[in-house]
Amino acid sequence: MELRLTSDEVIKLKEREDIYSALKRAGIYLVASCGGKGTCGKCKVKIVEGECDVISYGKLTQKERESNIILACQSIPKSDVLVEILKESRLVVGDKIAIARTKDLVEYLKSYGVDINPAVKRIYIELPPPTISDNISDLERLKRTLNEKGLRNMRFSHGFVSTMAEILRSSNWNVELTYLNGEGVSGEAIFLTDPESCNRRHGIAVDIGTTTVVVYLANLSTGEIVDIGSTYNSQMRYGDDVITRIVYATEGGGLNELRDAVVTDINTIVNSLMERHSIEACEIDTATIAGNTTMSHIFWGLNPGSIREEPYIPTLNHFPQWKGGTAKLSINPQSPVYTVPCVASYVGGDIAAGVLASKMHRNPEIALFMDIGTNGEIAIGNNEWLMTAACSMGPCFEGSGVRCGMRATSGAVESVKIDPETYEPAINVIGGGHPMGICGSGMIDSISEMFLTGVIDQKGKFVKGKTDRIRQGEEGLEFVLYRDEAHNKDIVLTEVDVENIIRAKAALYAGIKTLLSEVGFTMDAIEKVYIAGGFGNYINVERAIILGMLPDIPKERFVFMGNTSITGAYLCLLSEELRREAEDIASKMTYIELSVYRSFMDEYMSALFLPHTDMSQFPTVASRLK
Ligand code: FES
């Protein structure tokens, strides 16, 4: 049997294979938030011809079913089928992946008072060729010259010596030695290269996000970014969030598959960057990886199972150095691969890198760092102390668990303004044109606007009769943000969606309050708020305060940092001193497990209102409501 696509691809089907699996096998990825379990309702396709055994229609509406729309993961073809993949179901690299501003990064690094000084160094050496009278071994010859240059007691691995003789001779005894921590006594020789053919020094900084993978290719001599690349993390096809991936890695036995997926992503980017700039693998001397604890474990091929089981203990927080070849990266196989250390199961190397990038650990003012995604990771502190916690916000701000939710890519409603007289919404769509769904920032805008205009009450319940945009939908009351009669697909926010979003914002706010009260501070003590992560870039602070998601403190205290994980990875790549600082940050941070704090639950319950049950915590919102 065959699965044909309206875009002309043809896939031979295996026995009783569902459409989602067949597409995945052919390298065509659908949005699959639940990893193919039939619960997210995102993998929609339209059957144009042929018949399927439909196991479940999941969240599909009656109208969608009548239009022959099915869930790919729940549908097994019974005959040859012709299928159209709906635009919103196809996983594409988004045009809104946040990349930190790269051109000022060298200056930014220098603002730490350090120079470009990667842990991996290179030295040019000329060896006297051996003769009958000077007949010591190749390695003794190399050691003798290194001693003369002050590089003593260096270690030489088998990988190093196995290629040494050939390179020494082919380069006529003039070589470049790449080595690690060579000053003093404990250096390690990494590899030899011929300066004629391999004289440029590069490194890669990698951010392994749950959703995206970002790579910076940097010149290790100047610190300049040569190029950047990014893609969706292909582990997405196994599920959207870390928990689904952990389950797949452990119960599904898919650890190697997940590891291969992300390593392939990194290599695809690195290979294309090398090709674009005519760089050889031997010219990439090192790599630095930052990711959350689960992503770091999977990259290392470590079973992440214990991360999700009480008492939530990771296998490693501080990772030993690895070699490019062992990690299967397409860089020099001998190159050291450094992983930014993690703090706890749900506070990873991306947060240690982020705190490093924010500089909050160097300043006396009390600052709050937050990375908002499926998990809200929070760090509070200054140059004397750092505390951290993570709260589960659910995937709604990333587009899942919300009826018309989608990621912040083309076609997503990203901002909303509701006319207080007519209740007509004015929407902005990413990329312009026809809206296909609503992303996190659009949700924050919509709910704060619905609250200010009285469409919903403090509990997030719709006020019936307020406007004819409130209607009865298949899942209860809903507000129509955009009427789309032509495509038969209105963009709505349901009462259940509002409830999910309120729960997510309540978890974040309660996390911040609990962490602060642990150290005896209140919200007013926060002098700076650093917001990291792609989603953070598009948050309208004022609206997020109205929602009760962010503390009601002056707007000028909020700083949007973009992808701080990749910035921190870059800093660790280019400076040995800053790498040590990242290690220090991770060791110094005190992690608190919010789920065991009774006060967290109390704070959470109080925050399940708009903006909060205690309006004195939101004075600017209270004054707007008067
Ligand atoms: Fe098919 Fe979630 S419903 S992947």
Side-chain angles (χ1 to χ4, degrees), residues 460-587:
K461 299 286 172 217
F462 285 108
V463 177
K464 281 191 205 152
K466 193 81 179 172
T467 155
D468 63 3
R469 281 194 173 255
I470 300 175
R471 70 180 185 196
Q472 189 66 39
E474 287 185 18
E475 289 172 5
L477 290 177
E478 60 190 26
F479 180 80
V480 186
L481 267 180
Y482 180 79
R483 295 189 210 276
D484 187 353
E485 271 132 30
H487 298 85
N488 208 2
K489 186 179 181 287
D490 295 342
I491 308 289
V492 300
L493 266 174
T494 68
E495 212 163 62
V496 179
D497 295 340
V498 176
E499 218 172 89
N500 283 336
I501 294 164
I502 291 180
R503 274 201 218 115
K505 74 92 185 173
L508 181 69
Y509 190 79
I512 300 170
K513 283 242 20 222
T514 310
L515 208 51
L516 269 175
S517 65
E518 253 313 279
V519 279
F521 288 109
T522 58
M523 293 288 189
D524 317 334
I526 302 172
E527 290 167 81
K528 271 271 167 350
V529 180
Y530 298 104
I531 301 182
F535 169 51
N537 275 343
Y538 312 111
I539 293 180
N540 176 322
V541 168
E542 202 182 325
R543 304 289 179 82
I545 292 173
I546 295 168
L547 189 69
M549 178 174 179
L550 295 179
D552 194 356
I553 56 176
K555 269 203 300 189
E556 26 332 323
R557 295 190 197 172
F558 291 87
V559 183
F560 291 96
M561 301 280 300
N563 183 341
T564 51
S565 177
I566 189 72
T567 307
Y570 163 86
L571 296 172
C572 292
L573 180 75
L574 270 301
S575 159
E576 200 174 356
E577 292 82 358
L578 294 182
R579 188 182 285 195
R580 279 198 293 270
E581 232 166 273
E583 298 279 335
D584 262 12
I585 289 168
S587 311

Side-chain angles (χ1 to χ4, degrees), residues 86-105:
L86 301 192
K87 207 171 160 203
E88 68 262 36
S89 306
R90 204 183 255 265
L91 191 60
V92 286
V93 175
D95 49 4
K96 275 232 157 190
I97 294 171
I99 305 285
R101 286 164 56 223
T102 56
K103 74 178 184 345
D104 304 333
L105 275 179

Side-chain angles (χ1 to χ4, degrees), residues 58-134:
K59 290 182 174 174
L60 293 178
T61 62
Q62 194 52 41
K63 270 187 202 159
E64 285 172 328
R65 291 183 210 182
E66 284 161 12
S67 317
N68 282 340
I69 291 172
I70 48 135
L71 296 175
C73 70
Q74 298 297 306
S75 307
I76 301 167
K78 291 202 282 191
S79 63
D80 288 351
V81 281
L82 175 62
V83 158
E84 178 190 337
I85 300 179
L86 301 192
K87 207 171 160 203
E88 68 262 36
S89 306
R90 204 183 255 265
L91 191 60
V92 286
V93 175
D95 49 4
K96 275 232 157 190
I97 294 171
I99 305 285
R101 286 164 56 223
T102 56
K103 74 178 184 345
D104 304 333
L105 275 179
V106 177
E107 279 314 299
Y108 192 63
L109 182 141
K110 291 188 174 161
S111 73
Y112 283 76
V114 299
D115 282 325
I116 306 290
N117 178 30
V120 173
K121 304 176 194 326
R122 264 201 201 198
I123 186 172
Y124 174 70
I125 33 183
E126 291 181 7
L127 303 177
T131 61
I132 294 293
S133 54
D134 181 13

